[in-house]
């Protein structure tokens, strides 16, 4: 660009500077906080929905750790009166740090929401 | 600021800037679309630590400064122009990468800000270098005079090194994040890896010295045997260094044995060599 800049060049430059500074600032804050906790997954189940074949339950997995979890496996167990009725599993490629990922598991019968328990079976760290 | 110009002149100047930005955006997308469409690069965005990402941005900025100083059309640029151009290119890179990632569904409401910033930053580096190359190369020439000036500048060693390095990084980063590099490195026999290294050296030398396209003979002083050997070796060294840097950034050396690391560098070095030698010719002519 020339030293004698027009309004377009001035605004592009100003916008670019703001954007670059914002990204650098966010990264610096993130780096400065310097936390290094391993993946920490919490799982929330939604309300079962009837489908064409059986029932579907929405699963939301949140990672509160500072590291990404890879190959995450989640088990959802339906117990009634102390008896395990059905078991379902879900696999997610990645749950990045401080992010959420969603999926569904299926059951043949309608499970009561209170009878469902979910936990993560395991994950790898990159 | 200079003297105020008549409105007609100003309008033309704005149109010219607009065309320049258009070329830059086209170049940015042209060079970086493969990376924007590669899963492993999205993953690198949320796997990389923030400190790494800061380093990556700083390295990209240094490359941009180097390319704008030595690779552009005019040799009479001032450092303040180089600096503002580089900031603009990085800004456009961030903007384009965010827009494309959003369109291809990689930035969603479930992504944390750390994930968004990481993905956008990793992709923006290549887009910014593409914007820089596109602005200088697509269309807009500086006429014969500028071309002559550039050829004279081709004898400028630091300039050549910077351009070679930019080309190597640009080519290497297009294939580095893929699983295939590791797969080849692990499965290839040492003899084949040696063959890859020899082929890289030969290709580098061939492109720089014997292929008479884009007036290669005017960019390189071919008469001196020592210069040929030196140029070829330096090109390959640049390719290896930039390959190693790019692989390290994508976490390919983590918990990996020395031989596998070296093998990966050699496998990627072939792409790096093509980038360093061809990049030098294509970018400069």
């Amino acid at each position: 660009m020339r030293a004698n800049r027009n309004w377009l060049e001035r605004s592009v430059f100003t916008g670019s500077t703001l954007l670059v500074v914002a990204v650098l600032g966010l990264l610096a804050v993130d780096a400065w906080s310097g936390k290094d906790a391993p993946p920490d997954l919490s799982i929330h189940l939604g309300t079962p929905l009837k489908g064409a074949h059986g029932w579907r339950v929405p699963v939301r997995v949140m990672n509160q750790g500072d590291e990404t979890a890879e190959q995450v496996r989640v088990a959802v167990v339906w117990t009634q009166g102390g008896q395990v009725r059905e078991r379902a599993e879900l696999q997610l490629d990645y749950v990045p740090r401080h992010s959420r990922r969603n999926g569904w598991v299926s059951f043949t019968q309608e499970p009561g929401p209170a009878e469902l328990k979910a936990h993560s079976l395991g994950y790898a760290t990159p | 600021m200079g003297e105020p110009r008549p409105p007609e002149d100003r309008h033309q100047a704005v149109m010219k800037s607009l065309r320049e930005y258009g070329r830059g955006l086209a170049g940015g997308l042209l060079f970086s679309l493969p990376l924007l469409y590669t899963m492993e690069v999205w993953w690198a965005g949320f796997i990389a630590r923030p400190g790494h990402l800061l380093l990556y941005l700083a390295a990209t900025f240094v490359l941009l400064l180097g390319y704008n100083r030595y690779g552009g059309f005019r040799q009479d640029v001032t450092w303040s122009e180089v600096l503002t151009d580089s900031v603009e290119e990085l800004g456009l890179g961030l903007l384009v990468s965010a827009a494309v990632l959003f369109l291809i569904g990689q930035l969603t409401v479930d992504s944390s800000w750390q994930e968004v910033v990481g993905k956008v930053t990793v992709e923006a580096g290549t887009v910014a270098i593409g914007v820089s190359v596109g602005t200088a190369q697509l269309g807009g020439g500086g006429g014969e005079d500028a071309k002559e000036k550039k050829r004279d500048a081709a004898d400028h060693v630091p300039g050549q090194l910077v351009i070679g390095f930019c080309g190597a990084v640009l080519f290497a980063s297009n294939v580095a994040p893929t699983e295939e590099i590791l797969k080849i490195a692990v499965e290839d026999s040492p003899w084949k890896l040696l063959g890859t290294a020899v082929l890289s050296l030969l290709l580098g030398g061939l492109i720089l010295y014997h292929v008479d396209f884009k007036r290669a003979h005017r960019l390189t002083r071919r008469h001196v045997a020592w210069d040929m050997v030196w140029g070829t070796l330096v090109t390959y060294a640049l390719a290896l260094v930039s390959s190693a840097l790019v692989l390290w950034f994508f976490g390919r050396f983590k918990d990996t044995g020395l031989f596998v690391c070296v093998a990966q560098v050699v496998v990627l070095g072939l792409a790096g060599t093509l980038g360093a030698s061809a990049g030098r010719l294509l970018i400069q002519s």
Side-chain angles (χ1 to χ4, degrees), chain B residues 40 215 269:
Chain B
E40 288 93 341
R215 299 202 166 150

Side-chain angles (χ1 to χ4, degrees), chain B residues 31 42 47 53 69 88 95 99 158 162 175 225 229 231 241 265 269-271:
Chain B
F31 280 105
W42 309 333
I47 290 170
L53 289 170
R69 177 64 188 83
E88 280 184 359
L95 202 64
V162 167
V175 275
V229 174
V241 170
V265 172
L270 185 57

